[in-house]
Amino acid sequence: MWTNKDPTNFTPRGFPFSTPQWKKNRTCSSNLYSSPPCDTRQLLQPASERKWKPPQSDNNVNFSNATHKVPAGDSPYSRAKHVQVVDKNPSKAVSLFWAAINSGDRVDSALKDMATTMKQLDRSNEAIEAIKSFRHLCPLEEQESLDNIMLDLYKSSGRIEEQRQLLELRLKQIEDASMQKMNRTRIARFQGKKIQITMGQEYSRLLGNLAWIYLQQDKYKVAEEIYRKALSMEKDKNKQCNLAICLMYMNQMTEAKFLLNSVEDSTRGGRQMDESCAKSYDRAIQVLLKLESCKRHEHDEQFSSFLSRNKSTDSMTHYLSPSPTRGTPMVPFTQPREKAGFDGGCFRKLQFGQIAENNDLEVKL
């Protein structure tokens, strides 16, 4: 700090200012100061004079996340990808993807992206025909991913039979490759993320999809066998819930409830189900409640019909007169029969086959 103790200093006494020295930033290796000089330092303005700035949003973050997915350059595929990801205009992106395919620019990527965009626009049938027409232009290693896209398109468009045929073809291809290579891994895409799965996991996944098709077609026995085969290779809660549905429709409630209880027990201790498993579990519980309510309703109807049948039988019972003198009448008696010379009351004459000798004998009933 500078002071006025130096007699050679011409600064008058009582000078009210003292200038502190600049401190170097010790954390930085370079010779930089911790604060800029006074003439370049921006002074803090009062709140009334500050310019209003909008709150910072995540648009810049989302934009940066979107732009890194767009390939660089000005090729037809790059322009189509930019319109799809950044501009978010799927209809225009489809036409640009068509232009990329016709120009031969990354045909496999353009074809897959175009099919995915068409599915979002509810144009799955057009996407299926496009893949069938141009998949021969794609390399051999991309055929499997195209098959996976075709399976999703068949499912969304409701073409279950074609989906079943493609699934059986894929399963046969894996079986023909070799069952000894089930531990071989490959990179797959699941919910927008790249993961590594084994061939056995892929085989189990395809079996689950095939069993689901048979379940939709009410072929519960076939679906049960396929689900059990898939679960023998890999434990999966989603498949367990669907297997429980098959067993419910086959009137095997005990095993079905056991499977659902095992799925529920696995969520204890703070563990949660994923979204697909939670949907399968809720669907199985709804089917269980529906079938049990139908059984109770059916049981109630059977019991009420049994009571009404017994009631009608009791109402049609014929009570015939045992009088031996007149014989058995052919008409049923619905009211008490009055006899001549009988004044009613609580006394009646009992006759057993023949008329008693003492006619004055009365028996109190």
Side-chain angles (χ1 to χ4, degrees), residues 3 5 15 26 52 77 87 106 108 128 164 167 170 180 201 214 236 261 304 334:
T3 61
K5 293 182 180 180
F15 190 73
R26 300 182 182 274
W52 179 84
Y77 176 74
D87 297 343
R106 300 182 62 175
D108 52 343
I128 292 172
R164 182 188 63 80
L167 281 171
R170 288 288 311 280
Q180 304 295 332
Q201 292 174 341
Y214 283 114
D236 185 78
N261 290 334
S304 60
T334 58

Side-chain angles (χ1 to χ4, degrees), residues 173-267:
Q173 290 174 354
I174 295 177
E175 292 172 356
D176 294 341
S178 179
M179 298 299 291
Q180 304 295 332
K181 299 179 181 179
M182 286 298 175
N183 294 326
R184 190 178 62 180
T185 61
R186 69 175 185 86
I187 297 177
R189 186 174 294 275
F190 177 73
Q191 295 181 355
K193 298 179 181 180
K194 290 184 178 181
I195 59 173
Q196 282 191 351
I197 61 173
T198 62
M199 189 178 293
Q201 292 174 341
E202 178 71 9
Y203 188 74
S204 177
R205 184 185 69 86
L206 295 175
L207 284 175
N209 294 339
L210 182 60
W212 174 254
I213 292 177
Y214 283 114
L215 178 60
Q216 299 300 309
Q217 295 177 347
D218 298 338
K219 299 178 181 180
Y220 305 118
K221 185 63 178 176
V222 181
E224 178 201 358
E225 295 175 356
I226 299 177
Y227 272 128
R228 292 188 187 277
K229 183 178 180 181
L231 289 172
S232 65
M233 303 185 65
E234 181 187 16
K235 297 297 181 182
D236 185 78
K237 299 175 185 177
N238 191 2
K239 297 182 180 65
Q240 288 181 356
C241 295
N242 293 334
L243 176 59
I245 294 176
C246 296
L247 295 174
M248 290 175 200
Y249 283 113
M250 295 171 63
N251 201 18
Q252 299 180 16
M253 290 293 182
T254 304
E255 187 178 359
K257 292 180 180 179
F258 175 77
L259 289 173
L260 293 179
N261 290 334
S262 64
V263 173
E264 185 180 3
D265 293 340
S266 63
T267 60

Side-chain angles (χ1 to χ4, degrees), residues 332-350:
F333 291 98
T334 58
Q335 297 294 335
R337 186 176 181 181
E338 296 182 0
K339 185 178 180 181
F342 181 68
D343 54 356
C346 59
F347 296 96
R348 289 184 61 186
K349 291 184 179 181
L350 299 180

Side-chain angles (χ1 to χ4, degrees), residues 289-304:
L289 296 176
K290 178 182 177 181
L291 293 178
E292 287 183 345
S293 63
C294 291
K295 284 187 176 181
R296 285 195 299 267
H297 183 66
E298 183 181 357
H299 180 268
D300 294 340
E301 287 184 351
Q302 291 178 356
F303 185 70
S304 60

